[in-house]
Amino acid sequence: KQTVRDVEDSGGKVYNGLQAYPRWGEDPSVSSCALSATWDAIINRHRNGTGAAFRIGGLGTLSEPPTFEVWVCEEQHWCANGTSPFFCFAYHEVNEVFVPWGPNS
């Protein structure tokens, strides 16, 4: 099974357009980014198309059960850059927090 560290060590591959970092949330350029929405709010907005647009999915080969298994990207997040209107987070299942990942480029 491939971990985030394996992906980085094997040449910095990109997954879903996002750079994989050695450890979730350790990229200093995005460490101050935060997601204030709750999972309930994200799911409701995703289902009915109201408010901020979200993309959600599983981490696949980058997952680290039981800690990191899913990601969420918010459109027009204040940390998004000119490359993409979406900024993404991995969800820490144990601590129940969104960890900044980076812009979806």
Side-chain angles (χ1 to χ4, degrees), residues 4 12 20 47 49 67 83 88:
V4 174
R47 285 185 181 151
T67 310
T83 307
C88 303

Side-chain angles (χ1 to χ4, degrees), residues 29-84:
S29 69
V30 298
S31 61
S32 64
C33 300
L35 183 62
S36 59
T38 65
W39 263 126
D40 286 340
I42 291 169
I43 298 301
N44 286 335
R45 291 178 194 169
H46 186 71
R47 285 185 181 151
N48 62 27
T50 60
F54 291 96
R55 291 181 181 169
I56 55 178
L59 289 169
T61 60
L62 294 179
S63 68
E64 297 181 9
T67 310
F68 291 104
E69 298 182 49
V70 298
W71 56 265
V72 60
C73 298
E74 181 181 13
E75 188 174 26
Q76 304 304 325
H77 186 277
W78 54 275
C79 284
N81 61 27
T83 307
S84 171

Side-chain angles (χ1 to χ4, degrees), residues 4-27:
V4 174
R5 186 174 299 283
D6 294 334
V7 171
E8 179 68 16
D9 291 346
S10 67
K13 291 182 183 175
V14 173
Y15 178 78
N16 277 355
L18 293 165
Q19 179 67 41
Y21 294 101
R23 293 184 191 210
W24 300 107
E26 286 191 356
D27 179 6

